[in-house]
Every structure is written in structure tokens, then in C-alpha cells.
Amino acid sequence: MRRLFLILLALSLAGCASQPDDQPFTPVEPGGPRVYSADAASNPVGVIPAATLRDTQRNKDIELSIEYPTRGGPSPLIVWSHGFGGSSRGYVGLSSYWAANGYVVIKPTHADTGRPLTEAADLGASQTPADWRNRVADMRVILDSLDRLEQQYPELQGKIDRERIGVGGHSYGAQTAMLLAGARAGGEAFADPRIDAVIAMSPQGPTPALGLTTESWRDVRGPILYMTGSLDQGADESQGPEWRRQAFELSPAGDKWFVSIEGARHMSFSGRLADLTTEDLRTPPQPIPERDRTTGRTVQRDPRQRSTQPLFLRERGVFGMIRTTSLAFWDAYVRKETSGREYLDRLQGRTDVEAATK
């Protein structure tokens, strides 16, 4: 992962050398509405891979990774929360893509970084209310400290738009994002009015051990996108896509979106092909799994009735859909651009995506 950050840094520096920083950010199609593509935009990106922010109230340092457009500014801000055991150095496939498309992206490392996956299988047993409060506090400290970050890292001066802010997260990070959107855990409110929109990838449904009940989402008022996949399985059979959909169903109407991508696994949202085994990559083309809309179960269609492709190519296509859908949502509700909303509206006509809004 460190090597990947160095590569990104080298590319961004090369871009800075050939393109003046005062050049305006441009969408994929200059002079027109954004054209959504899973490929990275050509706009150069700067990277601060190991920034540090001091939280004097909790007497701790928060490690951050920051990616930002080197051209123009100020640019909208996205603050991203990693899954259990992750760190600020993950999700580069998402953060670099968003930055290349005109967003400053800040990713904190939470206290659970490096914790074993055996604990992730039962978050309720390993995490307490103090743990999820600390995650929320990490995110809030960032929002409270934007002036300080610009002072500590001069390359950020004039880059961050305080009036356009998105927050997102994956898995345990999705809970962190949902709490900031207005969801309650253990009856406690964490909503932050500075946030314009939220994306929750692989969100939890009601989970008493994490303080989430059927009443937890009733105060989620702002725009939020809940994303999952037909293969997005949790710790047991009860934690499948339909369980994750409950976060959407239990939220009040008003700019709420649900998107389930055919074939997306839990770790598809990280963009890491490394999560596929060598055997996975060597296997011949297999029928693409498909979710039965009636039963909610994942089934394998007869290969003669369903197109096949190597698993790594399917994963690449799935991640491309995750990237473009998330970018369109940020554009629609953080930038307030019509092109983003038009893209989201078209999702409801696709066969490889289940999309709903209310």
C-alpha cells in the first residue's frame, strides 16, 4: 500500500510540474456536463500520505491521508471512514478517483486499525459505545480543524470548500457515516449539520450489539446513498444484502437512495483485487452470480443463459460501477449538479443494478 501511495505521489508531482496549479479543474468533458467514466480523470492529484492532526481534547494524534486536486480551488470536501481494522491508507481506488474528479478527500485512521478480522466478524463483542463515539469524534475533529490543516500543510491553502461537505464510509465506517447523518446508536444522537450528503457502503441493518434498532434511522434527514451488492455478506447468513437494505427502508423519505450492484462482494467496495485468491484469478470464466428478486437469495444461472467472464474482470467492472455511482451522488448532492442526479435516475433502468429512491 505504501508503494501505491508513492506511485500516486510521483504521478501527482509529475502532473504539477507540467500543469500550473492556477489552471481550473475541468470535468471529464471540458465545457459541458460531466461524462461519467470509471477511468480516472486527467486532472492532477496531490497526495499527503501521512498527515497528522492533534486532538488536544482527547490527547491523541489522528493520522490522515489527504488527496486533493492541484488545480484551482476551493474544492468540495469528502471525509471517509475506513472499515474495522483498516487505516487511512486504504480505499485509494476511491479516494484518488474522487480527487481526480474535483474533491479534496481526507481519510483518518481510527483506533481499531490493525485489529484482526476475527474481531470484525463480531463487532458487537469487540466494540463498545466508547469505540463508535471515538470514530465519530475523529471525523468531527477533521471538520473542526480545516483552518489548522491548511496552516500545517500549505499546499492545501485555498483548496477546501467549507460549504460543500460529504461524509462516507465502508462497513464499520458506514455506521460512522450514518451516525453523522443522523442515525442514533444506543439512543444517542451524533448528527452534524455541516454535512451536505452521506454515502454508506455495506451499511448495517438493525444490530442491537452496535446500538442500532429499527428506530435508529428515523432522524436521518439529509441526502444519503446506501450501497451494497448481491454478494455483500456479513458475519452470518442473516447479514446479507436485504439486512443492509433495512437502513434505507427505515430512513424517512427525502433524497434517500439505495443501490445494490450485481456481483459486488463485501470487499468489492475497497477496490482491492488482492482480496481475491490466486486460485480465484486462475479459474476459468464462471457464470455471474445473480440475486433472485423474489427470495433474495443468490443463485447461479445456467451458463448457457448467462454471460460469463473471468472473476477479476467482473470485479473490475463492479468497482467501476461503485466509483461512478458514488461520484454521481457526490456531484448531485454536494456540488448540486444536475448531471449527477440524471445519472442516478438512469440507474433504475439497468439490469445489473437494483436502484431505489424515496
Side-chain angles (χ1 to χ4, degrees):
M1 188 63 69
R2 179 178 176 82
R3 182 180 179 186
L4 180 55
F5 266 106
L6 292 174
I7 292 172
L8 284 171
L9 181 59
L11 289 173
S12 66
L13 289 175
C16 292
S18 60
Q19 298 288 345
D21 284 357
D22 60 358
Q23 291 296 309
F25 163 81
T26 56
V28 176
E29 186 174 291
R34 192 192 294 279
V35 177
Y36 290 96
S37 167
D39 297 330
S42 60
N43 298 291
V45 173
V47 182
I48 306 174
T52 302
L53 187 60
R54 183 68 180 173
D55 181 357
T56 56
Q57 186 172 353
R58 291 182 294 162
N59 193 30
K60 64 175 286 188
D61 289 329
I62 304 172
E63 182 180 318
L64 311 172
S65 169
I66 304 174
E67 291 154 90
Y68 61 96
T70 61
R71 293 181 182 175
S75 299
L77 171 66
I78 297 169
V79 185
W80 178 260
S81 178
H82 62 73
F84 182 85
S87 77
S88 61
R89 299 180 179 234
Y91 301 91
V92 176
L94 287 175
S95 57
S96 62
Y97 174 76
W98 294 332
N101 280 284
Y103 291 85
V104 176
V105 184
I106 302 179
K107 301 178 295 184
T109 290
H110 298 300
D112 53 81
T113 185
R115 298 277 287 274
L117 291 177
T118 52
E119 294 184 28
D122 188 3
L123 284 178
S126 65
Q127 297 293 283
T128 67
D131 292 308
W132 64 68
R133 287 191 196 109
N134 274 321
R135 275 177 153 260
V136 169
D138 290 343
M139 306 287 274
R140 279 187 171 153
V141 167
I142 293 170
L143 297 179
D144 292 339
S145 307
L146 298 179
D147 289 344
R148 183 148 51 101
L149 282 173
E150 288 194 0
Q151 292 170 3
Q152 291 179 206
Y153 304 98
E155 57 267 55
L156 294 178
Q157 289 182 6
K159 295 295 184 184
I160 304 173
D161 187 340
R162 276 77 163 160
E163 301 301 318
R164 295 185 291 177
I165 297 174
V167 164
H170 172 239
S171 195
Y172 194 22
Q175 181 185 6
T176 306
M178 290 189 296
L179 295 181
L180 286 163
R184 291 173 177 261
E188 188 174 354
F190 300 88
D192 193 310
R194 293 171 290 186
I195 298 168
D196 294 299
V198 168
I199 295 180
M201 297 183 181
S202 296
Q204 295 79 9
T207 311
L210 292 177
L212 299 173
T213 71
T214 56
E215 298 296 314
S216 289
W217 288 269
R218 65 183 181 183
D219 293 327
V220 177
R221 302 298 178 190
I224 183 167
L225 167 63
Y226 300 100
M227 296 187 74
T228 184
S230 61
L231 303 180
D232 189 359
Q233 190 63 47
D236 56 54
E237 290 187 2
S238 68
Q239 297 183 354
E242 292 305 315
W243 171 68
R244 300 188 189 282
R245 185 190 180 111
Q246 289 183 62
F248 167 75
E249 297 292 353
L250 293 169
S251 297
D255 294 316
K256 306 300 187 298
W257 289 84
F258 172 80
V259 172
S260 179
I261 299 171
E262 200 68 49
R265 304 170 301 116
H266 188 67
M267 294 308 295
S268 295
F269 296 92
S270 72
R272 290 182 54 194
L273 280 176
D275 291 308
L276 300 176
T277 66
T278 302
E279 188 62 27
D280 286 332
L281 298 176
R282 288 177 177 172
T283 52
Q286 299 294 318
I288 300 173
E290 182 173 274
R291 191 172 64 84
D292 187 299
R293 298 291 177 86
T294 303
T295 65
R297 294 182 177 276
T298 300
V299 296
Q300 296 281 2
R301 297 300 185 196
D302 187 326
R304 293 169 297 182
Q305 302 175 11
R306 182 78 166 165
S307 63
T308 62
Q309 61 183 170
L311 183 56
F312 74 92
L313 286 180
R314 175 166 61 81
E315 281 292 313
R316 189 170 71 176
V318 164
F319 189 59
M321 178 59 68
I322 292 168
R323 298 217 298 184
T324 54
T325 301
S326 60
L327 177 62
F329 182 81
W330 295 135
D331 284 352
Y333 292 104
V334 178
R335 284 187 179 276
K336 308 297 192 296
E337 292 181 350
T338 57
S339 57
R341 180 57 188 261
E342 289 169 355
Y343 179 94
L344 295 174
D345 287 336
R346 289 195 299 270
L347 288 177
Q348 297 181 78
R350 296 180 63 117
T351 58
D352 57 343
V353 172
E354 179 188 0
T357 186
K358 63 178 181 178

